[in-house]
Amino acid sequence: MMKTVLVTGASSGFGKAICQKLIADGYKVIGSARRIEKLNEMAVQLGDNFLPLLLDVTKKDAVENLLIGIPTDFKPIDILINNAGLALGMEPAYEAHYDDWEMMVQTNIIGLMHITRTILPTMVERNCGYIINLGSTAGSYAYKGGNVYGATKAFVKQFSANLRTDLLGKKIRVTNIEPGLCGDTEFSNIRFHGDNKKAANVYQGVEYIKPEDIANTVSWLVNTPEHFNVNSIEIMPTAQASGGLAVVKD
Ligand code: NDP
Ligand code: 8X3
């Protein structure tokens, strides 16, 4: 029987590429996001095995009721890909906009919690399932202006590890994918509040990771055997590495 995957944040970037790849691999895919028109455009190309779903992950009631709106042929959900997320701003903490901080926490932490708490019990009931979270290298490595964004991804990292512990003895797998610099998504356009020039500058002269690279990684993960759990997978462009610790001298 075909497995069903729920991908949050499916309207662009990684989420869109993951939907395209998993449909090509033979899965049924529910793609969710706030911009339903983008998902509907994808549906025209991806066909009947793709279900567009309007869902704002920050809306607790909507997430709790999401299974009610899903047709039976897209149930149960076998694989959950918690991809919806965003960075807002890159100012130092003492100049950052508090609304940006709140929105990152609401989306990257609370939204991910809402979805996981809704879907996970259905996996436990069936004693099978796979949750893949989109963390980030920003959850492990500090960088200037990464303040709350990096902290939300540190949550995703530890939450993923703690889920593994809670699920020990059950046939449910959890992986945290931790990408570094990835281009051809809307990530930086959103981060810089629509300043597309500033966004483009992030990727200038760098051979960055592409959404297809992340989609291929997801495709590999979901096709690994069920006794095999990749706890985390950190991916950077070859052109990126940690800058090391810094010291300021008088
Ligand atoms: P994009 O901005 O291209 O995609 C983000 C997706 O999240 C969009 O589909 C957007 O859809 C969705 N989204 C945002 N807020 C909400 C919300 N409240 N409810 C539902 N969906 C929402 O970025 P990427 O593809 O680059 O990023 C995907 C994930 O990967 C994020 O979690 C990001 O933090 C992470 N990541 C990105 C990296 C990068 O360098 N690009 C590197 C490491 C991790 P819509 O606006 O239609 O709701
Ligand atoms: C996205 C990667 O380095 O911009 O999570 O934080 S980075």
Side-chain angles (χ1 to χ4, degrees), residues 145-206:
N147 42 67
V148 166
Y149 176 68
T152 66
K153 294 302 184 177
F155 170 88
V156 176
K157 182 188 182 95
Q158 192 61 32
F159 186 55
S160 304
N162 287 347
L163 282 177
R164 282 278 294 133
T165 300
D166 282 356
L167 292 168
L168 187 63
K170 304 198 189 312
K171 293 183 176 168
I172 299 171
R173 301 191 282 162
V174 182
T175 298
N176 187 32
I177 303 182
E178 303 170 21
L181 185 73
C182 305
D184 298 346
T185 81
E186 297 178 10
F187 180 82
S188 291
N189 310 80
I190 304 283
R191 174 170 232 172
F192 297 121
H193 296 283
D195 185 337
N196 295 336
K197 207 171 156 195
K198 208 167 173 181
N201 198 40
V202 173
Y203 309 101
Q204 192 69 42
V206 183

Side-chain angles (χ1 to χ4, degrees), residues 90-137:
M90 222 172 157
E91 297 84 1
Y94 48 87
E95 288 172 359
H97 299 280
Y98 197 77
D99 288 352
D100 286 351
W101 281 9
E102 280 192 327
M103 181 61 105
M104 287 188 280
V105 169
Q106 282 298 332
T107 310
N108 303 356
I109 298 182
I110 313 265
L112 187 140
M113 283 164 45
H114 289 335
I115 298 272
T116 305
R117 190 61 185 85
T118 299
I119 303 299
L120 185 56
T122 69
M123 292 181 171
V124 170
E125 205 175 299
R126 298 167 54 239
N127 196 24
C128 68
Y130 195 169
I131 297 179
I132 297 180
N133 293 327
L134 260 297
S136 168
T137 50

